[in-house]
């Protein structure tokens, strides 16, 4: 037993209470100690169960107790005789302390000579046995179980629940007369322990934790994010609910019988077009140079929905490009639509190349969100998306008003897009690849401002040159083009028009950015669009983004808090649904175990009346009382088993039962257990 454990077990502060030096131990009449013979032999009959401290204490006892904490107190504690712990207190006190100061005043006790066969060490405390013999803490007998008692502070600290820190105070309470409780002497396993009655676990004022699930209030950090409603909502907001329902509807959509769409393509079936068909079927994509079509399809192996991007009329002549596809499939990023597989097919009556991506329902492109303005008026359009009368392009040069008045995007939204796009580019470039599709028509928007790069890897297949020895040799050049394309996208967003990125309009666009946005955004666009002699990296724009990165991180975490709070609401819905299912299995059961009256007798009859109490009540006029709050409250009380009473009335109004929810819960659990037990015996549940 080391000095630290001894300090926790035996430390005590002795205060002189009378003329004899030490106060006697208070009679231990509340609890009989477990007295064991330490020496192994028979205990003498005349040995008193409790020995007075003044009769057996030797002069060096207090210093020996203090020596057990010598490595801690002696270094950092300066003794102050005038301190409160050294001031003699009233008679009848023997306090217990977590510190063990050296008390020189205790040397005034009468001298005591220990037996010669028990030497007294000078650096450890003495433990007094009931036979009057001191035992050193370092010479514990062999038959000692070497176990710490349950009331020991060490075990109490190791095994105590963290909740108890909230239930009990850290300072031991005093007696009614303001004095500390007396120290108790107890012998366990051959070792005597000193502790006060305050260390004995008394019935504290516990913090009660519910043994059932409840619906708590909205956390304050969530409640203050939005406008408070007049009544609390137990379900997710309508906006979020409708968005999820619309996604599910799109995910499960099907197409009518159409001869132009095959029923199955490779391992995918139920193809649904995601884009409106072009006027000219042979119209080529402005990005890839081939006609393309996009479909939603379901995988026959796992039943998941994927997006199929078909390249019309493309014949794969070299398979070396599949090495690059293998690299793309390994990249997973939150701002990129992941590529799953690539295959060729003749299911569309031609040679087609199909790229399979993750499917994000109800996603729209950056072009359709921000650059699809109203139709032209009088032959002119507002090139920078300004809400004004239609006028030629040169009218946009004089825009000097606020951005919101000029119809421009907020700068915070543009920086959010910059952070997301640069993050995706950083991951792609780190793998030695290039995006090559940084275009508003190939950037998807989900939710309100979540961006995802789409159609990655297509250019690596379409423009693959088999005659080139190293297909990765051109990647640094393509990465530089990615940065230029990023600058064009940011400039188009700042001007709110794709016309602004045309060569003849660059100067006017930069003047508009300098007038309406910060210098950092202007410098970012200039850095991305300016050709430099050295190779640029996407990491170079991080100083320009600066602390705006933390703003994006903060908004993402706040949204995560909101979604987590909405998910917590739906957890309770699932609990009540399971409760209703069990009630439905009990109520009105026509027959159980060859007993047709099982659901109408005994405990099940009360559950039937409770079902009527929940769902079949009427108002004073006999109209059905449709109160959802009443149903939810009743089910929660049943699940909790609260002692509140409820009045149940039969349908003929001849029987009235007044029962508690606790009794109803007992009946409910008994009936469910009975059903489950029979189902397990027959192997049907």
């Amino acid at each position: 037993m080391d000095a630290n454990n001894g300090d926790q077990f035996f430390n005590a502060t002795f205060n002189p209470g009378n003329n004899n030096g030490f106060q006697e131990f208070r009679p231990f009449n509340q609890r009989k100690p477990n007295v064991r013979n330490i020496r192994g032999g028979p205990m003498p009959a005349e040995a008193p169960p409790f020995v007075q401290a003044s009769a057996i204490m030797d002069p060096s006892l207090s210093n020996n107790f203090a020596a057990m904490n010598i490595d801690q107190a002696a270094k950092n504690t300066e003794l102050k005789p005038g301190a409160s712990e050294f001031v003699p207190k009233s008679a009848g006190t023997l306090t217990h302390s977590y510190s063990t100061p050296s008390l020189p005043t205790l040397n005034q006790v009468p001298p005591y000579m220990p037996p010669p066969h028990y030497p007294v060490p000078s650096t450890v405390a003495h433990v007094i046995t009931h036979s009057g013999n001191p035992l050193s803490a370092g010479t514990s007998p062999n038959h000692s179980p070497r176990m710490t008692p349950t009331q020991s502070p060490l075990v109490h600290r190791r095994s105590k629940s963290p909740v108890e820190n909230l239930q009990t105070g850290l300072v031991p309470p005093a007696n009614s007369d303001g004095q500390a409780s007396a120290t108790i002497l107890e012998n366990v396993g051959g070792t005597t322990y000193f502790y006060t009655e305050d260390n004995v676990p008394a019935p504290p004022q516990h913090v009660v934790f519910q043994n059932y699930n409840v619906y708590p209030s909205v956390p304050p950090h969530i409640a203050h994010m939005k406008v408070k409603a007049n009544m609390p909502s137990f379900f997710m907001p309508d906006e979020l609910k409708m968005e999820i329902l619309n996604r599910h509807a799109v995910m499960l959509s099907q197409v009518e019988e159409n001869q132009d769409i095959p029923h199955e393509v490779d391992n995918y079936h139920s193809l649904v077009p995601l884009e409106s068909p072009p006027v000219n079927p042979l119209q080529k994509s402005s990005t890839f140079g081939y006609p393309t079509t996009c479909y939603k399809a379901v995988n026959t192996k796992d039943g998941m929905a994927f997006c199929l991007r078909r390249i019309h009329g493309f014949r794969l002549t070299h398979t070396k490009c599949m090495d690059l596809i293998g690299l793309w499939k390994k990249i997973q990023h939150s701002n990129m639509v992941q590529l799953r597989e690539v295959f060729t097919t003749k299911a569309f009556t031609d040679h087609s190349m199909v790229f399979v991506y993750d499917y994000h329902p109800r996603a729209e492109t950056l072009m359709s969100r921000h650059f699809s303005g109203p139709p032209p008026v009088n032959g002119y359009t507002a090139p920078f998306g300004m809400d004004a009368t239609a006028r030629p392009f040169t009218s946009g040069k004089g825009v000097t008003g606020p951005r919101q008045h000029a119809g421009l995007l907020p700068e915070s939204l543009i920086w959010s897009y910059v952070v997301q796009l640069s993050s995706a580019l950083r991951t792609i470039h780190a793998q030695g690849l290039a995006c090559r599709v940084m275009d508003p028509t190939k950037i998807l928007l989900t939710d309100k401002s979540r961006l995802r790069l789409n159609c990655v890897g297509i250019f690596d297949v379409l423009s693959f040159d088999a005659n080139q020895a190293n297909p990765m040799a051109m990647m640094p050049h393509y990465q530089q083009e990615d940065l230029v394309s990023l600058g064009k996208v940011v400039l188009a967003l700042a001007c709110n028009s794709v016309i602004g990125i045309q060569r003849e309009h660059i100067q006017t666009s930069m003047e508009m950015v300098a007038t309406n946005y910060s210098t950092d955004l202007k410098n970012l666009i200039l850095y991305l669009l300016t050709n430099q002699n050295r190779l640029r990296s996407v990491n170079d724009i991080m100083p320009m983004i600066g602390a705006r990165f933390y703003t994006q991180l903060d908004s993402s975490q706040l949204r995560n808090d909101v979604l987590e709070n909405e998910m917590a609401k739906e957890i309770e819905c699932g609990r009540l649904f399971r409760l209703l299912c069990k009630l439905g299995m009990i109520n009105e059961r026509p027959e159980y175990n060859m007993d047709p009256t099982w659901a109408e007798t005994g405990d099940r009859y009360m559950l039937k009346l409770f079902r009527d109490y929940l769902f079949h009540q009427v108002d004073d006029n006999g109209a059905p009382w449709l109160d959802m709050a009443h149903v939810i409250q009743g089910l929660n009380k049943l699940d909790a088993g609260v002692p509140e009473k409820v009045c149940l009335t039969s349908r003929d109004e001849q029987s009235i039962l007044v029962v508690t929810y606790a009794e109803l819960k007992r009946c409910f659990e008994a009936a469910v257990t009975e059903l489950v037990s029979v189902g397990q015996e027959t192997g049907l549940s």
Side-chain angles (χ1 to χ4, degrees):
M1 185 177 297
D2 58 9
N4 292 333
N5 291 342
D7 176 53
Q8 294 173 0
F9 298 155
F10 308 112
N11 50 14
T13 302
F14 295 92
N15 296 279
N18 54 17
N19 298 329
N20 296 329
F22 282 106
Q23 184 68 24
E24 296 180 358
F25 287 111
R26 192 175 65 178
F28 190 45
N29 51 10
Q30 294 88 350
R31 180 178 176 185
K32 184 176 180 180
N34 182 15
V35 182
R36 298 182 182 177
N37 186 4
I38 301 178
R39 311 176 74 176
M43 200 157 190
E46 64 275 7
F50 296 97
V51 182
Q52 296 182 0
S54 60
I56 63 175
M57 206 69 68
D58 81 273
S60 60
L61 180 61
S62 61
N63 291 334
N64 290 334
F65 270 98
M68 302 189 68
N69 201 23
I70 191 171
D71 58 339
Q72 300 176 2
K75 295 180 180 179
N76 303 324
T77 306
E78 180 181 359
L79 296 181
K80 297 180 180 179
S84 60
E85 60 264 30
F86 299 119
V87 177
K89 300 183 181 180
S90 58
T93 62
L94 189 58
T95 59
H96 178 83
S97 173
Y98 287 102
S99 62
T100 311
S102 176
L103 303 180
T105 58
L106 296 181
N107 293 329
Q108 301 175 2
V109 299
Y112 171 75
M113 296 298 296
H117 57 278
Y118 279 106
V120 181
S122 60
T123 58
V124 294
H126 285 75
V127 183
I128 309 302
T129 67
H130 292 284
S131 60
N133 297 322
L135 254 181
S136 170
T139 58
S140 178
N142 294 330
H143 68 273
S144 174
R146 303 184 65 84
M147 295 176 59
T148 307
T150 57
Q151 304 304 332
S152 168
L154 181 61
V155 170
H156 189 55
R157 292 170 185 172
R158 289 179 177 176
S159 61
K160 185 169 66 171
S161 171
V163 179
E164 297 184 12
N165 294 330
L166 305 176
Q167 301 169 350
T168 58
L170 298 179
V171 181
N175 294 333
S176 59
D177 57 354
Q179 302 174 357
S181 303
T183 300
I184 299 175
L185 171 71
E186 184 173 1
N187 187 287
V188 177
T191 306
T192 304
Y193 298 92
F194 298 91
Y195 57 90
T196 63
E197 289 182 348
D198 299 325
N199 295 114
V200 180
Q205 298 297 328
H206 290 284
V207 177
V208 180
F209 290 90
Q210 308 295 344
N211 59 353
Y212 53 86
N213 295 328
V214 295
Y215 178 76
S217 60
V218 179
H221 68 283
I222 301 296
H224 294 291
M225 289 183 190
K226 54 188 178 181
V227 180
K228 296 182 180 179
N230 295 329
M231 296 182 63
S233 173
F234 287 88
F235 305 98
M236 66 176 62
D238 293 338
E239 181 182 2
L240 179 60
K241 181 188 298 184
M242 291 306 300
E243 177 64 24
I244 295 178
L245 290 178
N246 289 333
R247 291 182 184 179
H248 292 173
V250 173
M251 185 79 73
L252 300 176
S253 62
Q254 296 181 356
V255 68
E256 298 179 354
E257 291 294 333
N258 193 333
Q259 301 297 329
D260 297 336
I261 300 178
H263 295 282
E264 186 173 354
V265 177
D266 200 66
N267 293 324
Y268 299 89
H269 64 90
S270 302
L271 274 67
V272 178
L274 296 179
E275 299 174 347
S276 56
V279 179
N280 183 10
L282 300 179
Q283 179 181 354
K284 296 182 180 180
S285 171
S286 59
T287 304
F288 302 117
Y290 287 87
T292 61
T293 311
C294 190
Y295 301 94
K296 174 190 75 73
V298 179
N299 193 307
T300 56
K301 296 180 179 179
D302 53 21
M304 297 183 182
F306 292 91
C307 176
L308 273 58
R309 173 72 64 173
R310 174 196 171 196
I311 309 297
H312 297 236
F314 179 80
R315 185 190 297 267
L316 182 64
T317 57
H318 301 281
T319 59
K320 292 182 180 180
C321 61
M322 290 300 148
D323 296 338
L324 297 177
I325 297 300
L327 296 177
W328 278 111
K329 291 195 291 185
K330 295 179 182 179
I331 300 179
Q332 184 175 2
H333 194 271
S334 59
N335 297 115
M336 189 188 76
V337 182
Q338 188 170 1
L339 177 64
R340 294 300 178 179
E341 65 173 320
V342 180
F343 61 89
T344 58
T345 181
K346 295 182 180 180
F348 297 94
T349 67
D350 67 348
H351 293 277
S352 298
M353 196 77 176
V354 178
F355 294 79
V356 181
Y357 296 91
D358 289 343
Y359 177 55
H360 298 276
R362 285 182 57 81
E364 57 180 333
T365 63
L366 195 67
M367 175 68 75
S368 61
R369 172 73 69 89
H370 295 296
F371 304 118
S372 296
V377 179
N378 299 329
Y380 297 100
T381 59
F384 295 99
M386 296 171 289
D387 296 332
T389 307
R391 50 192 179 273
F393 174 79
T394 53
S395 63
K397 297 180 179 180
V399 177
T400 58
R403 290 191 300 271
Q404 60 270 22
H405 296 160
L408 302 178
L409 298 179
E411 185 171 353
S412 59
L413 179 63
I414 298 178
W415 281 113
S416 175
Y417 290 165
V418 171
V419 170
Q420 297 179 67
L421 294 176
S422 61
S423 176
L425 282 183
R426 179 177 178 272
T427 301
I428 294 172
H429 291 182
Q431 300 298 324
L433 299 173
C435 174
R436 307 180 66 182
V437 286
M438 185 66 67
D439 186 87
T441 60
K442 299 300 179 289
I443 299 176
L444 295 184
L445 261 170
T446 57
D447 297 330
K448 296 187 179 296
S449 59
R450 177 73 174 274
L451 294 183
R452 286 183 171 90
L453 288 177
N454 192 24
C455 300
V456 295
I458 295 182
F459 264 124
D460 294 330
V461 176
L462 299 183
S463 61
F464 183 78
D465 187 4
N467 298 325
Q468 191 173 4
N470 184 11
M472 305 294 291
M474 292 296 296
M475 287 301 172
H477 172 72
Y478 295 145
Q479 292 176 358
Q480 298 301 305
E481 291 183 349
D482 286 344
L483 297 179
V484 176
S485 300
L486 176 61
K488 292 181 179 180
V489 171
V490 176
L491 180 59
L493 290 171
C495 298
N496 201 15
S497 174
V498 292
I499 303 178
I501 64 177
Q502 296 177 1
R503 183 179 299 273
E504 61 272 17
H505 300 149
I506 290 292
Q507 185 63 31
T508 304
S509 301
M510 293 306 303
E511 293 177 1
M512 177 178 293
V513 172
T515 304
N516 295 277
Y517 294 99
S518 63
T519 306
D520 289 340
L521 186 61
K522 174 187 175 182
N523 294 337
L524 172 68
I525 298 174
L526 288 176
Y527 177 80
L528 294 174
L529 295 181
T530 304
N531 294 325
Q532 300 185 9
N533 296 329
R534 66 179 183 88
L535 291 179
R536 296 169 297 171
S537 172
V538 68
N539 295 326
D540 297 340
I541 67 175
M542 287 301 298
M544 304 177 191
I545 297 175
R548 298 177 181 88
F549 173 81
Y550 299 106
T551 303
Q552 175 68 15
L553 179 63
D554 178 63
S555 61
S556 300
Q557 292 177 343
L558 290 177
R559 176 169 175 78
N560 181 70
D561 290 340
V562 173
L563 295 179
E564 183 178 344
N565 180 67
E566 301 303 328
M567 182 187 68
K569 298 177 182 180
E570 301 304 315
I571 292 177
E572 298 304 314
C573 296
R575 177 179 58 86
L576 296 181
F577 172 74
R578 290 189 295 271
L579 198 64
L580 285 175
C581 289
K582 294 177 181 179
L583 275 176
M585 295 175 184
I586 298 172
N587 293 328
E588 307 293 346
R589 179 171 285 274
E591 181 270 336
Y592 171 76
N593 202 12
M594 306 300 293
D595 183 7
T597 62
W598 178 81
E600 304 291 336
T601 57
D603 297 340
R604 283 78 59 189
Y605 182 68
M606 286 194 296
L607 296 177
K608 175 184 177 181
L609 298 184
F610 179 72
R611 190 269 312 270
D612 292 342
Y613 167 80
L614 284 181
F615 301 105
H616 300 159
Q617 292 207 36
V618 296
D619 57 12
D620 297 338
N621 299 325
W625 189 39
L626 307 177
D627 188 357
M628 184 69 72
H630 165 71
V631 176
I632 295 176
Q633 184 184 50
L635 290 175
N636 283 327
K637 290 180 179 179
L638 173 65
D639 188 30
V642 297
E644 179 183 342
K645 294 183 179 180
V646 58
C647 181
L648 305 178
T649 306
S650 62
R651 296 182 179 181
D652 57 3
E653 299 182 355
Q654 298 300 317
S655 301
I656 297 178
L657 301 178
V658 179
V659 296
T660 63
Y661 283 97
E663 295 172 342
L664 287 174
K665 182 179 181 180
R666 179 186 58 80
C667 299
F668 174 75
E669 292 178 347
V672 172
T673 303
E674 191 174 355
L675 292 175
V676 172
S677 61
V678 175
Q680 290 177 347
E681 293 176 359
T682 58
L684 298 178
S685 63

